[in-house]
Amino acid sequence: MTTLLTADGVSRSFDQPVLRDICLELRAGELVTLVGRSGSGKSALLAVLAGFDEPDAGSVTVTGSHGGGPPPWSAMAVLPQSFGLLDELTLEENVASPMLFGGGPVDEAMARAADLLTRLDIGPLARRYPGEVSVGQRQRVALGRAVAGRPKVLLADEPTAHLDHATIQLAVRLLLDFVAEGSACLVATHDPAITTQAHRRLELVDGQIRQ
Ligand SMILES: Nc1ncnc2c1ncn2[C@@H]1O[C@H](COP(=O)(O)OP(=O)(O)OP(=O)(O)O)[C@@H](O)[C@H]1O
Ligand SMILES: [Mg+2]
């Protein structure tokens, strides 16, 4: 299987060491969960993998990315715990935005956005704005946007934290179909519903990865 992201000996300390000599690989076709207690360093690890934060030691290599700084959207998408939606765009425009900003055809982008919103059971809300829908509905928009541009790697931080059991199944189905097209996804989560359906599970304990 093609390796899409490699972390080699990544360490990061704040007041205390949070990440200690972390090595991991994400391969095409894999949905991998990252579990660990609150404060164990999941978001800190995702920030380093995304290029938002510099490790004190070690390196991160992302396929399709060149040089320093965060990789381009075609190589990597990040779904932050806080969603990061654009309030002045409708839900469908938010989902379409990675394709529109990437210069793709508008018709195709809007059709794909509509399809993703339908799959996430919020199709009828497409023309609303983020301020006009619920938190869980916003979270689904952020998930749709994260996969819309078919990035090679998706890093998702607790993407189902505001969803009910049935809606979580829709989200997991979407992520499994997304990786089946040749991408890789790392999901930080406390949710057993995702972990049991993922291909692999990584656990952060004392700053280190347990497979
Ligand atoms: N910028 C920062 N400055 C100082 N300490 C930080 C910073 N960012 C994270 N930390 C510390 O690093 C540790 C790991 O935090 P992190 O946010 O990665 O945890 P987490 O596993 O994502 O937890 P949760 O499940 O609650 O989201 C925590 O002890 C946190 O206080
Ligand atoms: Mg976190």
Side-chain angles (χ1 to χ4, degrees):
M1 270 195 296
T2 317
T3 299
L4 297 177
L5 179 148
T6 307
D8 188 16
V10 165
S11 296
R12 184 73 171 106
S13 297
F14 296 106
D15 308 339
Q16 307 272 322
V18 174
L19 305 173
R20 297 191 295 146
D21 194 25
I22 293 211
C23 297
L24 64 85
E25 283 191 355
L26 298 179
R27 301 175 205 103
E30 282 192 314
L31 176 63
V32 181
T33 53
L34 176 65
V35 302
R37 298 190 56 187
S38 176
S40 61
K42 300 181 297 297
S43 295
L45 177 56
L46 292 190
V48 171
L49 297 181
F52 296 162
D53 187 27
E54 283 273 315
D56 301 320
S59 63
V60 176
T61 311
V62 181
T63 303
S65 165
H66 309 282
W73 281 17
S74 57
M76 180 184 277
V78 179
L79 171 44
Q81 246 172 333
S82 52
F83 313 157
L85 295 176
L86 295 170
D87 290 333
E88 62 277 21
L89 298 186
T90 64
L91 303 192
E92 64 182 355
E93 288 165 347
N94 265 283
V95 174
S97 61
M99 293 170 284
L100 296 175
F101 296 161
V106 175
D107 293 359
E108 259 176 49
M110 298 311 282
R112 179 157 164 76
D115 177 57
L116 287 165
L117 290 171
T118 300
R119 291 194 57 182
L120 291 164
D121 201 23
I122 44 175
L125 306 183
R127 301 282 165 86
R128 292 212 201 162
Y129 291 86
E132 300 170 340
V133 300
S134 77
V135 177
Q137 289 165 342
R138 282 202 285 279
Q139 184 157 50
R140 281 179 270 165
V141 174
L143 181 60
R145 183 181 62 176
V147 302
R150 299 188 171 85
K152 295 310 286 181
V153 176
L154 170 59
L155 304 175
D157 203 346
E158 313 253 8
T160 59
H162 301 279
L163 305 183
D164 62 88
H165 184 73
T167 313
I168 289 170
Q169 295 308 316
L170 297 180
V172 174
R173 190 69 257 159
L174 193 83
L175 289 173
L176 286 169
D177 289 348
F178 164 68
V179 299
E181 290 183 21
S183 295
C185 180
L186 181 64
V187 182
T189 185
H190 294 283
D191 197 331
I194 303 185
T195 302
T196 53
Q197 295 181 70
H199 302 108
R200 253 179 337 125
R201 173 181 181 276
L202 306 174
E203 185 173 8
L204 260 180
V205 182
D206 297 332
Q208 295 191 298
I209 293 279
R210 283 194 199 152
Q211 295 274 346

